[in-house]
Amino acid sequence: MTQETEYAYKVAAMYRFIPIEDIQKLREEIYGYTDQNVPSICGTLLLAPEGINGTIAAHPDDMDKMIAFLDEKLGVRSANEPACEFKFSHASEQPFNRFKVRPKKELITLRKPEANPHKLVGTYVEPEDWNALISDPDVVLIDTRNDYETKVGIFDGAIDPDMKIFTEFPDWVENNLDPKEHKKVAMFCTGGIRCEKASAYMLAHGFENVYHLKGGILDYLEAIPADQSMWKGDCFVFDQRVSVGHGLEEGDWKVCHACREPLSAEDTKRPEYEKGISCHHCKDSLTADREKALRDRQKFYAEKYSEQ
């Protein structure tokens, strides 16, 4: 892999389920610290009573200071603690437009109080042990991500619930799985946080053997060589890289700015595709007002960057 020092931005993805009593105070402290010490910071941090989640990026030296600050406040690098994940990757260009700290009721919205990772979670499976687990014919393998993410890549043999939003997961489980019949369930997501809640929900509803990929797809792609991998395609990520592959190298996927659907290289050659305006997913539903707004935005950014 190319050495990290050759990349302009260091990217940190993290979550930790840890009680936060005063979200507004912590939010102000984070903004105060970044304003004074981390000028290149971008990305989003979510704060909820149940913990922290987010992906941020900065120049390498700035990122080191930022993570030290968050670790002091919330222990984001507590690798040996349950319901906590942290990992670095890289980006050749600024992957987010700005920095935001957003208060939320839940880190990942499920609206099921019994899905509480503070109380119970499924069995973590290290990336090195994942292939053996999902090769077991008795294991039901479930992708807990949304449908636009699964289009970019998925594990061989996995079930795609075809969800628009994560809150559809409990209904899908109720309609498709039975704890008496499905004795072993394994699940995966991008970085692991959805599986914390999904596994807690399933355990609360009678499923006994629930496993999930520790560190999610990102840890798997970093740890497992391509020639030993059971992953097909790239992994969708929520920044301007759009996707990453094995070794967490940046992929070739793009995203439509109108409808946010991921687009392959072949998709961008279709006649419906116009950068920043439309793609084959949304061209027919694009209103005149929406098209004008998108063209105005494209013009604004073109002028902005031409002046730099």
Side-chain angles (χ1 to χ4, degrees):
M1 183 191 300
T2 307
Q3 294 297 312
E4 180 184 279
T5 51
E6 295 181 17
Y7 289 89
Y9 282 83
K10 196 171 184 178
V11 182
M14 72 196 77
Y15 70 81
R16 188 182 186 198
F17 283 89
I18 179 173
I20 299 177
E21 294 184 0
D22 193 335
I23 291 175
Q24 186 57 36
K25 178 183 177 182
L26 179 59
R27 184 171 183 256
E28 292 172 358
E29 289 177 349
I30 292 173
Y31 274 132
Y33 184 81
T34 56
D35 287 347
Q36 294 296 319
N37 300 283
V38 196
S40 65
I41 191 75
C42 58
T44 300
L45 292 174
L46 305 179
L47 300 178
E50 62 186 0
I52 183 172
N53 177 32
T55 303
I56 56 176
H59 298 323
D61 289 345
D62 283 352
M63 179 59 77
D64 292 343
K65 290 186 289 185
M66 184 65 186
I67 296 308
F69 172 79
L70 292 175
D71 199 33
E72 178 184 349
K73 291 290 181 181
L74 297 169
V76 295
R77 287 189 290 198
S78 302
N80 295 324
E81 295 290 327
C84 178
E85 283 294 335
F86 179 90
K87 78 175 294 76
F88 284 124
S89 59
H90 52 250
S92 54
E93 298 178 353
Q94 181 176 327
F96 304 98
N97 291 329
R98 57 189 181 278
F99 178 59
K100 297 177 288 184
V101 183
R102 294 176 53 200
K104 290 193 70 179
K105 294 180 180 179
E106 292 183 76
L107 293 180
I108 297 292
T109 303
L110 192 61
R111 302 192 183 100
K112 295 292 182 181
E114 68 270 30
N116 186 349
H118 290 298
K119 295 182 178 180
L120 74 172
V121 293
T123 301
Y124 298 99
V125 180
E126 296 290 342
E128 293 81 4
D129 301 321
W130 185 248
N131 287 356
L133 174 68
I134 66 176
S135 296
D136 182 341
D138 294 330
V139 169
V140 178
L141 180 60
I142 304 169
D143 193 328
T144 65
R145 301 172 302 155
N146 295 334
D147 57 0
Y148 59 89
E149 300 170 77
T150 63
K151 293 175 183 176
V152 177
I154 194 169
F155 277 108
D156 193 23
I159 297 172
D160 178 3
D162 195 28
M163 298 182 293
K164 298 295 181 186
I165 53 176
F166 189 45
T167 49
E168 296 175 5
F169 181 75
D171 285 342
W172 183 86
V173 171
E174 183 177 350
N175 293 329
N176 294 274
L177 299 178
D178 183 342
K180 295 179 180 179
E181 178 183 351
H182 303 102
K183 300 294 187 179
K184 296 180 182 179
V185 177
M187 58 183 64
F188 61 92
C189 57
T190 306
I193 189 169
R194 289 190 185 205
C195 293
E196 302 279 2
K197 285 212 161 185
S199 66
Y201 174 82
M202 295 188 73
L203 289 169
H205 285 266
F207 292 87
E208 295 182 5
N209 299 301
V210 182
Y211 307 90
H212 53 106
L213 178 58
K214 191 175 189 303
I217 303 161
L218 296 178
D219 270 14
Y220 182 90
L221 292 178
E222 184 175 40
I224 305 302
D227 60 357
Q228 300 174 25
S229 176
M230 296 180 69
W231 178 260
K232 306 298 181 184
D234 282 355
C235 177
F236 182 89
V237 290
F238 295 87
D239 59 60
Q240 293 178 20
R241 293 174 298 174
V242 183
S243 72
V244 295
H246 284 91
L248 301 185
E249 293 295 331
E250 296 178 39
D252 295 327
W253 286 75
K254 300 183 183 300
V255 71
C256 176
H257 292 289
C259 67
R260 308 308 300 170
E261 284 284 338
L263 304 173
S264 67
E266 291 74 20
D267 290 335
T268 62
K269 297 175 183 177
R270 296 177 61 143
E272 301 94 338
Y273 175 73
E274 186 177 355
K275 183 180 178 181
I277 309 299
S278 65
C279 71
H280 64 285
H281 294 290
C282 62
K283 180 68 173 179
D284 292 341
S285 60
L286 192 64
T287 66
D289 288 345
R290 175 65 171 157
E291 182 175 349
K292 181 180 184 303
L294 290 166
R295 292 193 183 282
D296 288 345
R297 185 176 69 172
Q298 281 294 102
K299 181 179 179 182
F300 169 79
Y301 282 112
E303 293 175 349
K304 175 182 177 180
Y305 290 114
S306 68
E307 295 171 357
Q308 295 181 355

